[in-house]
Amino acid sequence: MLGPADFFDLSDPHVAAFFEGCTFVWEAIPHIGRHVTRLTGGEQVILGEVMAGAFISDRPVYIGRDARIEPGAYVVGPAYIGDGVVVRHGAYVRENVVLLAGSGLGHASEAKNSLFLPGAHAPHFNYVGDSILGHQVNLGAGTKLSNLGMLSEKDIATGKRPTIVLHIDEEAYDTGLAKFGAILGDGAQTGCNSVLNPGCLVAPRTLVYANVSLRKGYHAPDSIIKLRQNVRRIDKEAR
């Protein structure tokens, strides 16, 4: 239920490599930086189009064939931007981001220490931090994958933050991660302005409706998660 194969199609060796040795799916997150180094070779290689007005830092960055970095985008890196990826105007690619073939980061969207599997998109006003998006995942406009709890204060003695603990089926799982956004399985989608709180595991093909604030923990596959609210209409004169 919590292994990589429960969330993603791992038949492609290029995808499976990110999850080698992982018992739990979240164990891949702290290794994203290592895979960026593996894929870039510690160098900067630009095969795609970097349009005028886009900025690429001098860190290791790979930009694949037919990829496009639009004006106003800022790629800090290190980052791997695969074939056919589009990084749209105003997007912010921070450290240790992998965008595999056909994925995309859109206008005013930010990604940090995250893995986008083929076809995953965060197209409009999204934040993706310390997260993994499966094949063909789509984030609705304004979706935020929050990666740090509000009460996650640093210990005065150690300077470290507490790790995120998930409670699933009456068992506690210490992820070992102080920063952990969300993991969305293949085909999952979110509606506009949804917030996935730190430590959300959204299984394949599940739909999270607009404006939902989703609690951490496991959310089963093939589900629809709705926000219930009451809406009234009254005449102006009756106010």
Side-chain angles (χ1 to χ4, degrees):
M1 183 176 78
L2 301 177
D6 297 310
F7 288 81
F8 312 117
D9 178 356
L10 302 180
S11 59
D12 181 349
H14 187 45
V15 171
F18 292 95
F19 303 97
E20 288 180 357
C22 295
T23 300
F24 298 111
V25 66
W26 57 79
E27 293 174 340
I29 291 174
H31 298 289
I32 293 173
R34 174 172 62 83
H35 287 289
V36 172
T37 299
R38 171 177 65 84
L39 293 168
T40 64
E43 300 179 352
Q44 189 162 116
V45 177
I46 299 176
L47 304 177
E49 179 184 11
V50 178
M51 301 179 71
F55 181 84
I56 310 295
S57 79
D58 58 1
R59 293 181 176 182
V61 173
Y62 178 93
I63 300 175
R65 292 177 176 82
D66 299 319
R68 185 174 75 250
I69 314 298
E70 294 185 351
Y74 183 15
V75 180
V76 178
Y80 177 86
I81 298 171
D83 295 348
V85 170
V86 177
V87 177
R88 294 180 183 169
H89 169 268
Y92 185 23
V93 181
R94 290 175 56 191
E95 63 277 8
N96 299 328
V97 173
V98 176
L99 292 150
L100 294 182
S103 62
L105 188 69
H107 173 67
S109 295
E110 176 182 345
K112 169 253 180 186
N113 192 50
S114 292
L115 168 61
F116 289 56
L117 297 190
H121 286 85
H124 315 283
F125 305 99
N126 305 124
Y127 176 71
V128 182
D130 301 282
S131 299
I132 302 175
L133 307 186
H135 299 84
Q136 306 302 322
V137 162
N138 189 76
L139 303 184
T143 294
K144 305 297 188 289
L145 308 186
S146 176
N147 63 341
L148 184 65
M150 291 185 66
L151 302 179
S152 179
E153 296 182 3
K154 291 182 179 180
D155 182 88
I156 295 176
T158 66
K160 294 182 178 181
R161 299 182 187 274
T163 56
I164 292 173
V165 178
L166 305 180
H167 297 274
I168 302 169
D169 291 340
E170 299 183 357
E171 286 196 48
Y173 297 86
D174 188 339
T175 65
L177 303 174
K179 291 188 177 183
F180 175 11
I183 294 173
L184 284 81
D186 293 345
Q189 298 183 52
T190 66
C192 294
N193 294 322
S194 55
V195 176
L196 277 59
N197 287 283
C200 279
L201 305 176
V202 181
R205 300 171 301 279
T206 284
L207 307 180
V208 180
Y209 272 27
N211 296 314
V212 168
S213 178
L214 195 63
R215 296 185 65 178
K216 71 177 180 179
Y218 178 76
H219 303 275
D222 298 297
S223 301
I224 295 177
I225 300 172
K226 294 184 177 182
L227 173 68
R228 298 283 189 187
Q229 62 180 358
N230 295 318
V231 178
R232 295 178 59 205
R233 188 207 68 81
I234 62 174
D235 294 330
K236 288 183 179 180
E237 292 76 9
R239 289 181 302 173

